[in-house]
């Protein structure tokens, strides 16, 4: 069995084990797992509207997953995707509300503002890591809370008159698509999906086809060897966090310009940024893997809404299944060990 095949089988087995253990928990809790999973799948593939909502839900997951995967591939662990997403969301809506311009200028401006805000939020832990060796995990966790409370304060005092949400963005800054909505029985699917797929290609191209990507990956493998080879390690660390933050900021734009069309006061985190860690891990930190994992997470989130209606199974069980999948992905060493032994027996 080749290493490539093992890399593909490992996340698949992790998902399967998560669903099997989830089925056992349903059974113990007195629910019918077959009915539960049937309603879950029906909630995703049962009609065009649900499928469109699943694609819409996966869009920010793709970008959040790319943010985590990009940093991880360059030797960094970006826990701050949630905060970068929030500032990106705020920046996009701010531009969408405050500026009046034709769509051909307004929409790109709002999307770029989101990317820049996320990049700025990634720059701070990047520069602290590069100059002072402050661990990026600590800084990015703190930056999440700063982003949440600063965004809430700006929404309440600058973008509204002590309201809990901003005005709706101008039509010229909206990612909404009447065409995609009509195609999916008037779901909230928007053009952000296309932007996320473009970002997947961009990440793959940067990491796999450019000198910059080679240097970033080299620094991730071994900073001392990279420095000895003449690479600017500090610059690459900062650049990696900036690019990662930009992906996360764009994830916020998908919510602010596409799904919700406004920014609101948040009592807590959205969770999309943290789920992005699981998406990246399940996708093996590869561009195509992130897309597949994001679809799984988007489908689970949307399909879960159908479970209480059709089978009486509480949708919180889907959160348990997601947690189990993450657990088995984290324990992928055991799965790899099993596959290695299976491979040796075949030989």
């Amino acid at each position: 069995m080749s290493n490539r095949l093992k890399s593909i089988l490992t996340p698949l087995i992790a998902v399967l084990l998560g669903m099997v253990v989830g089925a056992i928990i349903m059974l113990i809790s007195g629910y019918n797992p077959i009915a539960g999973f049937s309603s879950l799948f029906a909630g995703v593939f049962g009609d065009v509207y649900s499928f469109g909502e699943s694609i819409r839900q996966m869009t920010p997951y793709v970008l959040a997953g790319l943010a985590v995967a990009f940093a991880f591939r360059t030797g960094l662990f970006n826990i701050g995707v949630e905060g970068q997403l929030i500032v990106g969301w705020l920046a996009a809506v701010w531009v969408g509300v405050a500026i009046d311009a034709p769509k051909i200028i307004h929409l790109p401006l709002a999307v770029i503002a989101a990317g820049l805000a996320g990049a700025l939020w990634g720059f701070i832990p990047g520069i602290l890591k590069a100059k002072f060796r402050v661990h990026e995990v600590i800084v990015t966790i703190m930056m999440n809370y700063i982003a949440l409370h600063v965004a809430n304060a700006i929404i309440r005092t600058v973008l509204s008159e002590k309201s809990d949400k901003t005005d709706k963005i101008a039509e010229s800054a909206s990612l909404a698509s009447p065409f995609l909505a009509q195609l999916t029985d008037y779901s909230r699917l928007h053009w952000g999906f296309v932007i996320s797929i473009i970002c997947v290609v961009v990440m793959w191209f940067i990491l796999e086809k450019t000198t910059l990507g080679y240097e970033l990956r080299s620094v991730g493998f071994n900073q001392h060897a990279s420095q000895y080879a003449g690479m600017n390690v500090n610059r690459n660390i900062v650049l990696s966090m900036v690019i990662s933050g930009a992906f996360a900021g764009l994830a916020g734009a998908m919510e602010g310009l596409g799904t919700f069309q406004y920014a609101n006061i948040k009592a807590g985190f959205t969770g999309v940024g943290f789920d992005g860690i699981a998406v990246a891990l399940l996708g093996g930190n590869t561009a195509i893997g992130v897309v597949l994992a994001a679809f799984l997470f988007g489908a689970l989130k949307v399909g879960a809404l159908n479970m209480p209606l059709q089978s009486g199974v509480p949708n919180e069980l889907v959160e348990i299944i997601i947690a189990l999948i993450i657990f088995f992905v984290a324990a992928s060493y055991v799965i790899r060990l099993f596959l290695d032994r299976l491979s040796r027996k075949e030989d």
Side-chain angles (χ1 to χ4, degrees):
M1 191 181 295
S2 67
N3 284 331
R4 179 180 286 271
L5 184 59
K6 287 176 189 171
S7 300
I8 295 170
L9 284 177
T10 301
L12 290 178
I13 293 173
V15 172
L16 190 63
L17 287 173
M19 297 185 79
V20 167
V21 178
I24 293 170
I25 292 173
M26 280 190 221
L27 209 57
I28 293 171
S29 306
Y31 298 107
N32 184 342
I34 296 174
F37 281 120
S38 297
S39 60
L40 178 70
F41 288 118
V44 181
F45 301 106
D47 53 62
V48 179
Y49 173 84
S50 301
F51 188 71
E53 279 293 304
S54 300
I55 301 294
R56 193 269 310 160
Q57 183 71 47
M58 75 174 274
T59 301
Y61 281 135
V62 169
L63 290 160
L66 290 181
V68 178
F70 192 91
F72 197 80
R73 290 283 298 276
T74 56
L76 298 168
F77 202 19
N78 185 6
I79 301 289
V81 172
E82 181 72 29
Q84 293 147 15
L85 180 149
I86 290 173
V87 297
W89 186 337
L90 178 71
V93 170
W94 198 334
V95 172
V97 170
I99 293 177
D100 185 18
K103 193 174 185 83
I104 196 169
I105 297 172
H106 201 181
L107 179 55
L109 199 63
V111 173
I112 290 169
L116 288 177
L120 175 65
W121 225 250
F123 171 78
I124 297 169
I127 195 74
L128 290 174
K129 169 82 173 183
K131 294 293 182 185
F132 305 108
R133 297 300 168 204
V134 182
H135 204 290
E136 74 275 12
V137 170
I138 304 296
V139 181
T140 50
I141 289 173
M142 293 168 64
M143 295 291 288
N144 284 338
Y145 287 96
I146 295 170
L148 176 65
H149 295 297
V150 167
N152 283 348
I154 290 175
I155 291 169
R156 187 174 290 277
T157 59
V158 180
L159 294 180
S160 72
E161 294 180 359
K162 296 187 177 178
S163 173
D164 59 354
K165 68 177 185 180
T166 66
D167 293 335
K168 197 174 177 183
I169 59 169
E171 185 62 33
S172 54
S174 173
L175 282 168
S177 165
F179 170 71
L180 292 176
Q182 192 174 11
L183 204 64
T184 54
D185 199 13
Y186 298 99
S187 75
R188 290 176 293 171
L189 183 60
H190 52 77
W191 289 119
F193 172 68
V194 177
I195 294 176
S196 70
I197 296 303
I198 292 171
C199 287
V200 169
V201 177
V202 168
M203 173 183 157
W204 169 81
F205 185 77
I206 290 176
L207 285 180
E208 306 295 341
K209 298 295 178 184
T210 65
T211 306
L212 172 66
Y214 177 78
E215 285 195 16
L216 291 174
R217 285 186 289 123
S218 296
V219 171
F221 282 129
N222 193 316
Q223 292 186 10
H224 300 294
S226 300
Q227 194 163 20
Y228 184 74
M231 298 177 191
N232 189 331
V233 172
N234 288 345
R235 187 205 65 174
N236 286 326
I237 288 173
V238 175
L239 202 53
S240 172
M241 285 301 292
V242 165
I243 296 173
S244 173
F247 282 134
L250 290 176
M254 301 302 106
E255 302 291 68
L257 303 178
T259 302
F260 296 101
Q261 311 262 318
Y262 60 81
N264 61 314
I265 300 282
K266 295 175 183 60
F269 294 121
T270 66
V272 174
F274 297 120
D275 285 342
I277 299 170
V279 168
L281 288 174
L282 188 61
N285 296 307
T286 61
I288 187 67
V290 164
V291 174
L292 297 175
F295 178 73
L296 174 68
F297 274 64
L300 285 173
K301 293 280 184 181
V302 173
L305 301 175
N306 196 45
M307 291 174 74
L309 300 174
Q310 280 199 3
S311 59
V313 177
N315 56 17
E316 284 81 3
L317 265 169
V318 168
E319 297 293 337
I320 295 174
I321 293 171
I322 290 174
L324 288 167
I325 291 171
I326 296 168
F327 170 79
F328 285 116
V329 169
S332 60
Y333 172 76
V334 178
I335 298 173
R336 293 281 297 200
L337 198 66
F338 169 75
L339 291 175
D340 286 340
R341 288 189 176 180
L342 194 67
S343 184
R344 278 198 291 271
K345 279 184 181 177
E346 286 177 353
D347 294 339

